[in-house]
């Protein structure tokens, strides 16, 4: 059973930066494509960014392009999400997710989830 544990969330002001981390255990991390999702209160969970298992290709939603960078370190079984120039609209619970599917850029393929870490951006 693969387990994912997120960390790095917190309360910040607009314009600040945060780096989220997700540590994986119990599986072969290098075979997993990884992604970050977020969920605001009263809203459905939405895809934010993903990184493939094969060649570290990446994908982002338009609202975070140029501000955020997803990366991975297979030697540490860890995926990161660097977030800069944070906005109140970025507020939510951020979840780490993984998939063994080759369709790594399809949010519906992610089926292994962490517990989430809270990110709150004040205005």
């Amino acid at each position: 059973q693969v387990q994912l544990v997120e960390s790095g969330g917190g309360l910040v002001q607009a314009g600040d930066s945060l780096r989220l981390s997700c540590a994986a255990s119990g599986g072969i991390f290098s075979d997993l494509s990884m992604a970050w999702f977020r969920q605001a209160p009263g809203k459905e969970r939405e895809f934010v960014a993903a990184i493939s298992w094969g060649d570290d290709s990446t994908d982002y939603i338009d609202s975070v392009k140029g501000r955020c960078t997803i990366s991975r370190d297979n030697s540490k079984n860890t995926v990161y999400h660097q977030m800069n120039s944070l906005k109140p609209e970025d507020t939510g619970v951020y979840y780490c997710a993984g998939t063994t599917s080759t369709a790594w850029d399809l949010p519906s393929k992610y089926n292994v989830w962490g517990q989430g870490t809270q990110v709150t951006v004040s205005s």
Side-chain angles (χ1 to χ4, degrees):
Q1 177 75 22
V2 176
Q3 291 185 302
L4 305 175
V5 180
E6 304 95 332
S7 62
L11 174 62
V12 299
Q13 296 190 81
D16 286 353
S17 297
L18 282 174
R19 189 178 77 159
L20 306 181
S21 298
C22 174
S25 63
I28 304 175
F29 179 74
S30 60
D31 288 345
L32 290 173
S33 294
M34 302 297 297
W36 290 96
F37 291 74
R38 67 188 179 192
Q39 186 170 22
K43 303 294 184 180
E44 65 182 12
R45 192 173 300 181
E46 68 172 346
F47 168 84
V48 177
I51 184 166
S52 69
W53 64 265
D55 60 0
D56 287 355
S57 296
T58 58
D59 191 31
Y60 303 89
I61 55 171
D62 187 66
S63 62
V64 307
K65 288 180 179 177
R67 299 191 295 119
C68 299
T69 303
I70 186 172
S71 62
R72 66 191 297 160
D73 186 341
N74 290 342
S75 70
K76 297 180 179 179
N77 293 343
T78 301
V79 62
Y80 304 96
H81 192 52
Q82 177 69 44
M83 304 185 292
N84 301 322
S85 301
L86 284 164
K87 305 174 180 179
E89 302 94 287
D90 295 317
T91 293
V93 178
Y94 281 69
Y95 296 91
C96 179
T99 182
T100 57
S101 174
T102 56
W104 62 274
D105 56 344
L106 295 180
S108 63
K109 297 298 183 180
Y110 287 86
N111 55 9
V112 180
W113 297 88
Q115 85 289 348
T117 185
Q118 177 71 43
V119 172
T120 303
V121 184
S122 64
S123 60

